[in-house]
Amino acid sequence: MKVSLKNFNLNNKVVGVAVSGGADSMALLYYMHSNANYYGFKVIAVNVEHGIRGEESKSDTDFVKKYCEGLSIPIVCYAVDSVNRAKAYKLSLEEAARALRYECFFKCLDSGVCDFIATAHHTNDNFESVLLNLFRGSSLKGIKGINEVFKGKIIRPFLGVTQSEILEYVSENDIPYVVDQTNFDDDYTRNFLRLNVIPKIKEVFPEAEKSVYRLSQLAKDEDEFLDDLAKKSIAIYPDKVEIPTDVHDVIFRRATIIAMKNLGIKKDWESCHVESVLGLKGLENGSKVNLPKGILAIREYDKVVLYIERDKSEENVPFRLGEIEFLGNKISLERVSSPIDLKDGFYFDLDKIPKSAIIRTRRNGDEFTKFGGGTKALNDFMTDKKIPLRVRDFIPLIACGSTVLAVIGVAISDKIKVDETTKNIIKITKE
């Protein structure tokens, strides 16, 4: 049985081996215990009693305890209620048991009892996972099967080994084990594949699990490569992610998933959400789709932006000089002396500002006179400037009635421009 632990960097670490008492996990415990000195790590056993098979399940735990006692292997035991978890969260018994099992693993890791948890997943498990993912309509990520390392702490040393090789190893080394009768209950989805589908496949393709393992390794490499391309194609900010519309659909889909996860949609997304965002590539500017957790995606010219929607604000404050906090913006209005370079920022004539002017956000009916002349609706002006729809309601303005005198950080109206008669020049900046 060819197994290597070199890739896991276990020197001076404590490895908790997940042991149920079955042949696979007992073989892993024996192997890790036998090789601990060579690789420079320590071994403990971690047993989770799932509360499914009553006294039989507890007997399995007692069997593992006795075996560990004979080899002086420390053991940590957990007892959980998979049946109630399945009912409470509307999960299958398999899903509930797995969730609780991994909660125990990470509890063991987080408490410092061990540095890694080793599980006995092998090529047959990988084969089953790939088939399950295929039948459920998974993408390339499903084809890559079981990861050799999960969340940096769960390792699978036997992943490249077949179950028949493990059983041969068990026989050669006289390793005791117990049989979990639920493994022969084809009511469970995975067991249905294991007992009814896979044997038929292996009649025609005896090396099927190894062939699928090679496929899953190739899929893993290609999946990581495509994810890397997707990450490089997007711009990530605290409250938004921008995806260019000129990237290939394959990359765009992955970029969308990365964007959703960055904005807090970890598990609530579905393929229909990804396809809806992809569909924005072919729609006009300003087209939107709603995503889970209040996230929106909008077509903005040559990109699609996923962002956290903010409530529209009607805030306004009287116009004055000095430092002003407005909708998270720091606005500075300060006097400057001439001569100045009008191209080096935004300047206006203070004496042209009406006393009733305020600083506010946009309203229906606003008009703006461009620098150099020409009055148009503020919304049309913003469209000309390609200002995204999602930010227009949050841009501070200097206005008097429906007349906008400055779109702060964007433009100064011709009505308040500095000219040869100006005596009081004000520079406006925004952070």
Side-chain angles (χ1 to χ4, degrees):
M1 186 174 70
K2 295 181 180 180
V3 179
S4 176
L5 301 175
K6 292 180 179 179
N7 294 336
F8 298 121
N9 191 24
L10 303 179
N11 189 41
N12 294 321
K13 304 296 184 181
V14 177
V15 180
V17 180
V19 189
S20 66
D24 301 339
S25 64
M26 292 298 291
L28 179 62
L29 180 62
Y30 182 89
Y31 178 86
M32 298 297 283
H33 177 67
S34 301
N35 288 275
N37 288 336
Y38 179 78
Y39 286 99
F41 61 85
K42 295 180 180 180
V43 167
I44 66 168
V46 179
N47 174 262
V48 181
E49 195 275 294
H50 294 91
I52 297 176
R53 294 178 293 117
E55 292 302 317
E56 183 182 356
S57 180
K58 294 176 182 177
S59 176
D60 291 351
T61 293
D62 291 338
F63 165 80
V64 174
K65 286 180 179 178
K66 186 175 180 180
Y67 181 80
C68 289
E69 183 181 345
L71 292 178
S72 298
I73 299 173
I75 184 169
V76 178
C77 295
Y78 297 93
V80 297
D81 190 340
S82 301
V83 176
N84 278 335
R85 171 62 73 93
K87 290 179 180 177
Y89 290 88
K90 297 182 180 179
L91 303 171
S92 70
L93 203 52
E94 289 172 289
E95 292 171 327
R98 184 185 187 279
L100 287 168
R101 183 165 62 250
Y102 275 83
E103 282 181 15
C104 294
F105 292 166
F106 282 102
K107 186 183 297 183
C108 202
L109 290 164
D110 293 341
S111 65
V113 173
C114 58
D115 301 296
F116 294 94
I117 293 286
T119 66
H121 290 89
H122 44 71
T123 56
N124 298 65
D125 295 316
N126 185 72
F127 189 16
E128 293 165 9
S129 293
V130 171
L131 288 181
L132 279 171
N133 291 335
L134 278 173
F135 296 148
R136 289 168 176 165
S138 179
S139 63
L140 185 62
K141 290 187 181 298
I143 308 254
K144 69 181 185 181
I146 299 173
N147 290 322
E148 188 177 46
V149 179
F150 176 63
K151 293 192 174 181
K153 293 293 183 179
I154 309 293
I155 62 174
R156 282 85 182 238
F158 281 3
L159 197 55
V161 181
T162 65
Q163 190 170 43
S164 60
E165 290 171 329
I166 292 173
L167 292 174
E168 185 178 343
Y169 179 76
V170 167
S171 177
E172 290 173 352
N173 292 280
D174 295 321
I175 302 170
Y177 63 92
V178 295
V179 176
D180 182 351
Q181 292 301 320
T182 61
N183 286 335
F184 301 98
D185 184 350
D186 64 5
D187 286 342
Y188 297 101
T189 306
R190 186 176 289 271
N191 286 346
F192 176 80
L193 287 177
R194 183 181 299 153
L195 300 174
N196 301 294
V197 178
I198 291 176
K200 295 295 183 182
I201 294 174
K202 286 178 65 67
E203 286 178 9
V204 182
F205 303 102
E207 298 291 308
E209 67 265 44
K210 287 191 174 181
S211 298
V212 170
Y213 178 68
R214 289 193 295 271
L215 170 65
S216 65
Q217 292 303 103
L218 289 171
K220 176 178 176 290
D221 290 342
E222 293 181 4
D223 181 66
E224 290 175 355
F225 174 73
L226 292 172
D227 266 353
D228 187 55
L229 285 180
K231 288 175 184 176
K232 290 177 179 177
S233 73
I234 62 180
I236 299 176
Y237 303 92
D239 60 348
K240 66 175 180 177
V241 179
E242 298 177 350
I243 310 173
T245 54
D246 61 355
V247 300
H248 192 283
D249 287 358
V250 171
I251 302 301
F252 192 97
R253 288 189 180 94
R254 288 172 176 267
T256 299
I257 295 170
I258 294 169
M260 288 193 292
K261 289 181 176 180
N262 267 276
L263 293 172
I265 310 175
K266 303 295 184 182
K267 296 181 179 180
D268 298 331
W269 62 270
E270 300 175 3
S271 59
C272 62
H273 297 129
V274 178
E275 294 304 314
S276 293
V277 177
L278 176 66
L280 290 173
K281 289 178 66 175
L283 300 180
E284 63 183 10
N285 183 55
S287 300
K288 296 180 182 179
V289 296
N290 293 305
L291 299 171
K293 295 187 178 294
I295 305 300
L296 288 179
I298 185 169
R299 173 66 189 267
E300 288 183 358
Y301 305 103
D302 59 350
K303 59 183 176 286
V304 170
V305 180
L306 282 76
Y307 64 100
I308 301 170
E309 187 174 30
R310 295 188 289 171
D311 292 333
K312 181 178 177 180
S313 176
E314 296 293 337
E315 183 175 347
N316 64 78
V317 297
F319 172 85
R320 62 178 175 81
L321 300 184
E323 300 287 337
I324 300 172
E325 290 278 348
F326 186 84
L327 294 180
N329 299 291
K330 291 184 179 180
I331 302 169
S332 175
L333 296 150
E334 59 178 345
R335 294 177 186 272
V336 293
S337 301
S338 59
I340 57 169
D341 183 356
L342 294 177
K343 296 180 181 179
D344 182 34
F346 298 102
Y347 301 88
F348 64 86
D349 187 331
L350 177 61
D351 297 320
K352 295 178 181 179
I353 299 288
K355 292 182 179 180
S356 58
I358 60 173
I359 296 176
R360 62 168 175 81
T361 50
R362 68 171 180 160
R363 297 173 182 169
N364 290 333
D366 280 346
E367 292 184 337
F368 182 76
T369 302
K370 298 185 296 179
F371 203 87
T375 299
K376 60 170 52 183
L378 177 65
N379 197 49
D380 291 340
F381 171 77
M382 288 182 166
T383 299
D384 293 343
K385 287 290 186 179
K386 295 189 175 180
I387 297 173
L389 288 171
R390 63 186 166 82
V391 301
R392 294 183 186 183
D393 287 326
F394 304 95
I395 296 176
L397 312 171
I398 299 175
C400 181
S402 61
T403 301
V404 175
L405 302 171
V407 182
I408 297 178
V410 179
I412 298 296
S413 168
D414 191 75
K415 292 179 179 293
I416 59 170
K417 68 180 180 181
V418 174
D419 57 30
E420 64 278 1
T421 67
T422 299
K423 297 178 181 178
N424 295 299
I425 303 174
I426 305 299
K427 182 177 182 180
I428 185 167
T429 56
K430 177 174 74 75
E431 294 181 10

